[in-house]
Amino acid sequence: ATMLKTLQKLVVSGDMVGEAIVPYYRQILPVFNIYKNCTKNIGDAIDYGQRRRINLGTLIGETLEFFETHGGADAFINIKYMIP
């Protein structure tokens, strides 16, 4: 979870940083694809861990959104190719 938060901060830290990470999507995204569905199904209960942002599936979704918005024109295509 800490690595995902660090990647999010890295992508938004500079103007071209998101685009500079795009060539490394082939190493990063297969691992995201494995763990993207690791979410808790708690029904209508309250997840108190939500404020600490420790749910792996949710963090991967947020990180992919950061990659998509800050990665430039080719980011969306690469993400959809690696994570259907």
Side-chain angles (χ1 to χ4, degrees):
T2 306
M3 186 267 311
L4 294 170
K5 294 175 188 175
T6 306
L7 277 174
Q8 290 177 3
K9 290 179 184 176
L10 177 69
V11 169
V12 298
S13 65
D15 291 338
M16 302 296 286
V17 176
E19 294 179 20
I21 295 177
V22 173
Y24 300 100
Y25 280 1
R26 295 217 180 253
Q27 287 80 27
I28 298 171
L29 295 180
V31 180
F32 283 9
N33 194 21
I34 294 169
Y35 292 107
K36 71 176 180 178
N37 293 325
C38 291
T39 57
K40 285 193 247 180
N41 185 6
I42 58 172
D44 60 348
I46 298 172
D47 181 17
Y48 291 105
Q50 187 177 23
R51 66 180 172 88
R52 293 191 309 265
R53 296 177 54 204
I54 56 173
N55 190 349
L56 192 59
T58 306
L59 273 173
I60 288 175
E62 289 176 6
T63 307
L64 289 173
E65 288 177 14
F66 276 100
F67 282 177
E68 182 181 334
T69 55
H70 298 286
D74 295 333
F76 178 75
I77 297 167
N78 287 321
I79 291 171
K80 286 300 172 188
Y81 178 74
M82 297 298 288
I83 301 178

